[in-house]
Amino acid sequence: MEFLPFTRPTLDEATIAAVAEVLRSGWITSGPKLKAFEAALSQRYGGRPVRALNSATAALELALRLCGIGPGDEVITTPLSWVATANVILEVGAAPIFVDVDATTRNIDLGAAERAITPRSRAIIPVDLAGLPVDRDRLYAIANTHKLRVIEDAAQSIGAHWNGHEIGREGDLIAFSFHANKNITTAEGGCLVMNSEEEARLFEKLRLQGVTRQADGGMDVDVLGGKSNLTDIAAVIGLKQLAKLDEFNSKRRDLARRYFERWDNDLGFDLPPKDFERSNWHMFQPLLPLSDMRITRGEFIERMRLRGIGVGVHYPAMHLFTLYRARGWKAGDFPNAEDIGNRTVTLPLFPTMEFADVDRVCVTLSEVLRS
Ligand SMILES: Cc1ncc(COP(=O)(O)O)c(C=O)c1O
């Protein structure tokens, strides 16, 4: 039987032809396709300025720089995310302040976030883990009360909704990822939704060496920028993918629903929230019943692989990584994030899967746990 990976990008022949066209055009780096991709994203987000670049990591880092956040500042975030979320805070010289996650949503515990605010706090970076949105009402109530910037790490939640509004249409700064595993991809890439053209102009400079081009063909550099622009090769993939986002997400929702229908509840897993309104179902992640199991998570993953099914881990709690332990965090600091990080497994979920694939995962998983 064919191996079923936990994710796979959906790239059609029209996309491949569009990439070939860019390659033949003579203009392969940032150019007209990037502009068109940004315009399409902006249209999706109610006309807000959007700029794309080569990763969401860069989008988050430049968002911090746009906010003027640096040494001496604190940024509150979750320890249960891809490590990029906190690495960017260190990258700009600020201090990440982790707080635990809610055991049910697995997203940042906003009560704990509010209690962590100090006079040095400048921003909150919430993460919509697996595509399930953080409570935007409560998030912005806290941010407004305490005059904090919000940099939404929506790397995983493109096309998700809060109160009927698509993530990105409202809020402060919103970063999406187009990494190969995400609901839409440019192979590598990301974007930032901003509040004003002024922010977008500064962002453009930060994205490419701080350069401003002048009408007479000259240029100036007045801020220190890096190099994180997106190529037209990638942007044209993004354009084709964006047109399919709703279709992809709808299929993901149907597949997630199928998982709940076919799930063997006697196995003792904790399932993710059964949400079919807000989440974009970026991942389907049950938590293993580890204390009742005779095998480890690693052995579970290996046995699934031998039966032709790919299983991922997204993510171990990051405060226990060596880099962060060296900054003082230790086991026991965030019990929910640690428990979820230890037990989580990512099962196959991508738009070209069939219901039969979900059924196969459910049956195989029962066999592995019961054997
Ligand atoms: C929650 C989260 N934040 C940030 C990132 C970084 O995205 P990118 O790989 O585009 O830099 C990712 C990507 O995996 C992510 O899942």
Side-chain angles (χ1 to χ4, degrees):
M1 209 174 267
E2 206 188 322
F3 187 79
L4 182 66
F6 68 79
T7 191
R8 178 187 283 153
T10 308
L11 298 164
D12 58 13
E13 289 303 320
T15 306
I16 294 167
V19 169
E21 198 184 308
V22 171
L23 292 175
R24 290 193 188 99
S25 74
W27 193 290
I28 57 175
T29 188
S30 312
K33 298 299 180 192
L34 174 64
K35 285 245 176 295
F37 184 37
E38 290 175 340
L41 287 162
S42 174
Q43 191 181 15
R44 188 159 184 121
Y45 301 119
R48 297 183 64 176
V50 186
R51 296 293 182 274
L53 70 185
N54 62 10
S55 72
T57 305
L60 291 166
E61 182 186 327
L62 298 196
L64 286 162
R65 294 192 191 283
L66 274 189
C67 296
I69 292 172
D73 297 331
E74 294 178 353
V75 179
I76 298 167
T77 193
T78 166
L80 194 64
S81 178
W82 176 230
V83 68
T85 306
N87 281 354
V88 294
I89 302 171
L90 291 178
E91 198 67 53
V92 301
I97 304 295
F98 292 123
V99 297
D100 207 353
V101 298
D102 177 86
T104 306
T105 64
R106 309 173 188 177
N107 285 331
I108 190 166
D109 175 338
L110 289 171
E114 188 162 28
R115 289 192 293 280
I117 294 170
T118 74
R120 293 179 163 215
S121 306
R122 294 286 313 282
I124 304 183
I125 305 187
V127 175
D128 302 323
L129 196 68
L132 181 71
V134 169
D135 178 340
R136 294 297 196 275
D137 299 333
R138 183 141 184 238
L139 169 68
Y140 280 96
I142 293 169
N144 292 338
T145 304
H146 298 278
K147 310 231 170 331
L148 301 179
R149 296 299 300 262
V150 176
I151 300 169
E152 298 182 19
D153 181 342
Q156 301 186 0
S157 57
I158 192 159
H161 288 79
W162 183 260
N163 284 349
H165 296 287
E166 189 168 328
I167 299 301
R169 287 187 75 93
E170 299 189 340
D172 191 352
L173 297 169
I174 300 98
F176 294 113
S177 172
F178 308 126
H179 171 261
N181 282 357
K182 299 299 187 283
N183 289 27
I184 60 169
T185 187
T186 57
E188 298 286 356
C191 72
L192 190 73
V193 183
M194 288 167 276
N195 297 293
S196 64
E197 287 304 327
E198 192 186 346
E199 274 181 354
R201 270 195 299 278
L202 177 55
F203 189 85
E204 284 180 5
K205 290 197 270 188
L206 295 174
R207 163 176 84 173
L208 195 58
Q209 314 291 4
V211 168
T212 315
R213 305 245 170 220
Q214 292 161 341
D216 64 0
M219 66 176 79
D220 188 26
V221 175
D222 60 353
V223 293
L224 179 61
K227 165 88 176 165
S228 49
N229 55 307
L230 190 75
T231 69
D232 264 21
I233 303 168
V236 80
I237 302 174
L239 266 172
K240 295 287 185 196
Q241 290 269 296
L242 190 60
K244 299 254 169 123
L245 174 58
D246 295 332
E247 186 187 314
F248 290 166
N249 282 356
S250 153
K251 183 68 186 293
R252 283 175 175 275
R253 233 180 337 266
D254 291 346
L255 292 164
R257 205 179 258 118
R258 183 75 170 192
Y259 267 117
F260 284 104
E261 284 166 9
R262 290 300 159 112
W263 200 260
D264 178 349
N265 289 317
D266 295 337
L267 291 176
F269 280 84
D270 290 316
L271 293 185
K274 208 171 180 174
D275 170 287
F276 300 111
E277 299 294 323
R278 293 169 171 168
S279 178
N280 70 353
W281 285 103
H282 171 55
M283 294 187 281
F284 187 81
Q285 301 176 301
L287 307 183
L288 287 170
L290 266 192
S291 55
D292 300 334
M293 285 167 51
R294 285 187 299 264
I295 53 173
T296 64
R297 175 167 63 185
E299 287 162 343
F300 169 79
I301 293 171
E302 178 60 8
R303 287 179 197 193
M304 291 292 283
R305 191 184 67 77
L306 291 173
R307 288 167 172 79
I309 294 174
V311 174
V313 173
H314 307 89
Y315 304 92
M318 72 175 90
H319 66 287
L320 300 181
F321 293 155
T322 304
L323 179 73
Y324 288 92
R325 279 184 189 267
R327 303 179 75 89
W329 283 287
K330 58 188 184 315
D333 284 347
F334 307 115
N336 291 340
E338 290 168 29
D339 179 54
I340 296 164
N342 288 335
R343 296 201 289 134
T344 191
V345 284
T346 305
L347 300 184
L349 180 62
F350 53 90
T352 49
M353 267 171 70
E354 302 298 338
F355 286 163
D357 295 318
V358 173
D359 300 354
R360 185 179 142 210
V361 176
C362 291
V363 167
T364 309
L365 193 131
S366 290
E367 279 170 15
V368 165
L369 281 187
R370 290 180 192 285
S371 63

